[in-house]
Amino acid sequence: MSRAVTLTILLAGLIVIGSSTPVWAAQMDARINPNSDSSPFKMNYQKTVFIEYPNGGELFDVLQGHEWSVIGTADSSDPGVKNLMRQLNDKIKADGSQAHISDLNVSYDIHLKARNINTSIDYRVIIEGTLTNYVITKDAQKTLVDLGWRGLTANDDVVIDGHELNFPISILLEEEPEASAFFVGTEAEDVLHRNLINADFILQQPLTNWHFLFDPTGINVDAGTFGLSEEISGFVVSSWTMGESSLREGRQVERVFEAEIMADQKYIVRSVQSSDQGNLAAIGFGALDVFDGVEIAGVTPTPPQDYATTSTGDFPVMIIYGMAAMAAIAGGAFFMFSNRALKNTKEGQQGIDPSRLQGYQTSSSSGGYQTNRGEAQLKDDSSYQQTRSVYDTQSSQSPPQQTPPPQPASTNEEAACGCAASADMGSECDCAMQGACLCDATCGCNADICKEQVNSMS
């Protein structure tokens, strides 16, 4: 009973977790070196907005043939980039982390293209910067690294080079004011007013749910990507990744928000964001923990002695043992069923007892040739209903077959005939096979050639 309850709870949890979906989307890539005062990071924010007009209408007339792009880059000397860096640091501090962004570069690419049935606007903002002050404490054995800075989000306007990049409706108001008038004051405005620069879910997903890997020799190959010298070659590289649908992370799908607009025609505005992804690496072996509500990693140069794990910690071990137990149960059930079926199987001859059958010849001579064909029939029909063929039903509907005429009984005269066959063989005169007859008038042979010879002699 307890096992059934446990399995039920596990299945219910799988359904609930698998059906839940996060709200935001972003892609993070960061490499933390606890032996350095700064480390690089990169965030990629993407979103696509579709404006659909399947029946044409005034909105189609406004956007027909339009295609444009807004592309640019800026560094920390730009006032808009400084404002974005301030917003990100305020969010990191609000999340309880002590880490700080000291440098930031921004690149953006917004592209609109109108088609016959819809218009798509692709938004992409990439920020690359330098993270500092992430080391909490450090001694000869271990370094505590702050990992609570992952929710890099801006909730206010981000204006760079005169373009507001955080809210998709802003660029439409700037570049397509006539088309934007269809959205103002409707639910579509709410869809287009969701901030693009948002990584809250990457922070909300605990690192214990991320996939974990470590490579004791990874530095030898990847030292260049970290900007490290050969002095630390041979150290462990720990990495945590998220974004794959799993029992722990939940089902990762695209985020879709949609609204309808009733004007001269029905228009649909749909916002689509890709699923969240995160790649976080650290030099050394990282053991996760929580300090004052902030996730941290205790980093050591080498893993503990005899330590071994897989990409998902202890979870695969549970799966392996569970699959082995299920296979053992299935195998035991199979053998029990097979053994029971074998015991119920009768041994020896099945069907009709051969002693109840008798042979019957079905062939006769044709011209000068005779075959030896026959069939087996029951000596009696006492058990006919138990042994009759399924084809008897069809044969009972057909006209009854004529029984072969009985063979004439042999007589002394026939046996005396020099050219007659043996009475036991039941065949015609032997002389029919030789093409001549030596019978006299007293021969009782039925062969035509014998009859003709007898007539000619009488």
Side-chain angles (χ1 to χ4, degrees):
M1 179 64 69
S2 61
R3 291 182 178 179
V5 173
T6 302
L7 290 175
T8 303
I9 295 174
L10 180 61
L11 180 60
L14 176 61
I15 294 174
V16 172
I17 295 174
S19 60
S20 62
T21 57
V23 179
W24 310 113
Q27 291 81 44
M28 181 191 75
D29 188 8
R31 295 176 175 87
I32 304 300
N33 182 4
N35 302 312
S36 175
D37 295 332
S38 62
S39 294
F41 74 91
K42 180 180 179 180
M43 295 291 296
N44 185 2
Y45 306 93
Q46 292 188 147
K47 178 184 293 187
T48 300
V49 173
F50 294 97
I51 302 172
E52 301 178 1
Y53 33 80
N55 301 318
E58 297 178 1
L59 184 57
F60 165 72
D61 297 335
V62 170
L63 293 172
Q64 184 179 12
H66 288 201
E67 183 174 3
W68 48 260
S69 296
V70 176
I71 303 173
T73 59
D75 56 24
S76 56
S77 62
D78 187 279
V81 176
K82 290 182 178 179
N83 175 52
L84 175 59
M85 188 164 55
R86 178 189 59 80
Q87 292 190 51
L88 296 177
N89 283 324
D90 290 344
K91 180 61 166 57
I92 291 174
K93 184 177 180 180
D95 293 334
S97 173
Q98 69 175 34
H100 186 80
I101 297 175
S102 61
D103 190 23
L104 193 66
N105 294 317
V106 179
S107 61
Y108 55 90
D109 185 351
I110 303 170
H111 181 77
L112 178 143
K113 181 176 179 59
R115 302 176 181 84
N116 291 333
I117 60 174
N118 64 37
T119 293
S120 64
I121 311 103
D122 297 320
Y123 298 84
R124 185 179 185 184
V125 174
I126 300 175
I127 62 174
E128 298 182 71
T130 302
L131 192 69
T132 61
N133 202 33
Y134 48 81
V135 176
I136 301 175
T137 61
K138 183 176 182 179
D139 55 33
Q141 287 78 30
K142 181 184 295 185
T143 302
L144 298 183
V145 177
D146 187 344
L147 300 179
W149 50 266
R150 306 187 308 276
L152 300 178
T153 300
N155 294 315
D156 298 328
D157 291 347
V158 177
V159 180
I160 298 177
D161 297 333
H163 306 294
E164 203 290 309
L165 305 177
N166 198 21
F167 302 102
I169 194 171
S170 300
I171 201 72
L172 285 176
L173 289 170
E174 176 187 341
E175 300 292 335
E176 297 287 348
E178 190 175 355
S180 301
F182 286 84
F183 312 138
V184 176
T186 67
E187 294 182 359
E189 185 177 6
D190 297 333
V191 172
L192 297 175
H193 206 268
R194 296 178 179 271
N195 55 327
L196 173 64
I197 304 174
N198 192 314
D200 281 344
F201 182 72
I202 294 180
L203 177 64
Q204 294 169 5
Q205 185 70 262
L207 284 169
T208 52
N209 287 359
W210 293 32
H211 296 270
F212 174 68
L213 285 171
F214 72 95
D215 182 6
T217 60
I219 299 302
N220 294 326
V221 178
D222 300 330
T225 62
F226 289 92
L228 303 177
S229 63
E230 296 180 357
E231 297 177 356
I232 60 174
S233 295
F235 284 2
V236 171
V237 174
S238 298
S239 63
W240 296 269
T241 60
M242 65 156 287
E244 177 184 348
S245 297
S246 67
L247 178 65
R248 299 176 305 168
E249 292 187 41
R251 185 168 56 94
Q252 304 297 309
V253 297
E254 292 182 335
R255 283 50 157 176
V256 180
F257 303 94
E258 183 177 309
E260 293 184 356
I261 303 172
M262 296 304 300
D264 61 301
Q265 297 285 343
K266 184 176 77 171
Y267 305 116
I268 299 174
V269 176
R270 180 181 295 106
S271 172
V272 181
Q273 294 173 274
S274 59
S275 60
D276 296 291
Q277 297 179 8
N279 296 286
L280 177 62
I283 299 298
F285 177 83
L288 298 176
D289 203 345
V290 177
F291 179 74
D292 288 341
V294 178
E295 289 183 293
I296 64 173
V299 180
T300 56
T302 57
Q305 188 176 4
D306 299 329
Y307 181 86
T309 186
T310 61
S311 63
T312 53
D314 295 334
F315 185 68
V317 177
M318 297 173 59
I319 293 180
I320 292 173
Y321 282 118
M323 293 178 63
M326 292 177 63
I329 294 173
F334 173 77
F335 285 117
M336 289 177 61
F337 177 80
S338 300
N339 188 35
R340 182 176 300 178
L342 183 61
K343 290 181 179 179
N344 294 333
T345 303
K346 294 181 180 180
E347 298 182 357
Q349 173 66 35
Q350 303 296 319
I352 301 174
D353 187 355
S355 63
R356 298 178 54 206
L357 299 175
Q358 66 178 359
Y360 175 74
Q361 184 174 356
T362 59
S363 63
S364 61
S365 65
S366 176
Y369 179 75
Q370 167 131 2
T371 60
N372 295 321
R373 293 183 297 174
E375 65 181 17
Q377 293 184 349
L378 287 171
K379 294 180 179 179
D380 58 68
D381 59 353
S382 59
S383 301
Y384 175 73
Q385 293 301 326
Q386 298 179 8
T387 59
R388 71 187 184 93
S389 171
V390 296
Y391 298 103
D392 288 346
T393 303
Q394 298 179 359
S395 62
S396 62
Q397 305 297 329
S398 60
Q401 299 180 356
Q402 296 180 358
T403 58
Q407 296 291 338
S410 61
T411 61
N412 294 332
E413 291 80 7
E414 180 178 1
C417 178
C419 62
S422 174
D424 294 335
M425 295 182 61
S427 61
E428 293 185 347
C429 182
D430 281 344
C431 60
M433 301 176 65
Q434 302 297 327
C437 184
L438 302 176
C439 302
D440 56 13
T442 63
C443 180
C445 183
N446 292 325
D448 292 339
I449 192 170
C450 292
K451 294 177 181 180
E452 293 176 359
Q453 184 68 17
V454 170
N455 291 335
S456 61
M457 293 174 62
S458 58

